[in-house]
Amino acid sequence: MTEFYVSLFISNVASHLSPTFDNIPSKKIVPTPIEKDASLVSRTGRDLQRYNTAGYRQVVGCVPYRYKKHGGGEIEVLLISAQKKGKGMLLPKGGWEIDESIEEAALRETIEEAGVTGQLEESLGKWQYKSKRHSMIHDGYMFPLLVSQQFERWPEADIRQRKWVSLSEAIELCQNSWMREALEAFINRKCQTN
């Protein structure tokens, strides 16, 4: 899979996103500049939601990570809080919509919920889980995302907190078992490549 870097722009007229992708040459370069704003509004509703033939909602998200030191070293993962009513910490994820690729959806959800973007890597896999709120089965796809840009303000900044944590803390704090499995797949992949 080609690795992507995304910059998201929203015009004042349009309320949808238009991703622009550029290749990034190195996996080890980890600038994480903090930008002032991510200028887009979160998508809402389920009108464009994608479902598989069995009726399972398709969701996609990322394991946003960075290296503590330039050129490698210890990995940190970015977790986000559940929305106002929820408890615990999560990885950013949300609905994969019919007007976008799976990669575009992963990047969009991560910028909306966590306020970061960067280099998307090959999928970690697919997990099935039951939604706590809607009691329906979802297919969840997760991608590693090497963070290169972090925003001070982002679409869900008013309803979510974010926290950089070690890999062991991420496993401990992440409230969803399927997300912990995705974290374990991420750790296994990074241990094999390092």
Side-chain angles (χ1 to χ4, degrees), residues 7-166:
S7 296
L8 300 175
F9 300 95
I10 297 296
S11 71
N12 292 334
V13 178
S15 63
H16 64 283
L17 69 128
S18 301
T20 303
F21 299 97
D22 299 315
N23 287 329
I24 290 189
S26 173
K27 292 181 181 181
K28 295 288 183 182
I29 299 173
V30 193
T32 310
I34 297 179
E35 301 290 329
K36 193 163 184 141
D37 294 300
S39 58
L40 77 107
V41 176
S42 291
R43 287 186 173 193
T44 58
R46 301 261 167 102
D47 296 340
L48 298 176
Q49 181 60 60
R50 191 182 295 253
Y51 295 86
N52 73 4
T53 55
Y56 298 170
R57 183 173 176 236
Q58 304 296 285
V59 300
V60 62
C62 288
V63 177
Y65 75 97
R66 68 183 181 189
Y67 293 96
K68 270 186 127 171
K69 297 177 183 173
H70 278 288
E74 186 180 343
I75 293 175
E76 293 181 312
V77 173
L78 184 64
L79 295 180
I80 59 169
S81 63
Q83 290 186 3
K84 287 182 181 179
K85 295 176 185 175
K87 294 180 181 176
M89 301 296 282
L90 312 164
L91 294 167
K93 64 101 182 102
W96 174 14
E97 299 187 352
I98 58 175
D99 64 342
E100 60 192 351
S101 71
I102 193 168
E103 295 86 1
E104 290 167 334
L107 292 164
R108 175 183 52 77
E109 285 295 339
T110 303
I111 232 178
E112 286 178 1
E113 293 189 353
V116 296
T117 191
Q119 181 180 340
L120 195 65
E121 299 173 4
E122 187 176 336
S123 173
L124 292 166
K126 177 176 91 170
W127 288 265
Q128 286 190 340
Y129 69 97
K130 188 173 183 179
S131 167
K132 292 178 184 175
R133 279 198 277 177
H134 303 292
S135 294
M136 65 186 294
I137 303 292
H138 297 323
D139 287 335
Y141 300 86
M142 295 299 283
F143 294 83
L145 178 77
L146 178 56
V147 173
S148 62
Q149 197 169 21
Q150 179 174 315
F151 300 99
E152 272 185 38
R153 292 187 294 260
W154 67 99
E156 296 187 14
D158 291 340
I159 59 172
R160 295 189 191 274
Q161 300 294 312
R162 62 184 176 193
K163 182 178 182 180
W164 286 102
V165 298
S166 68

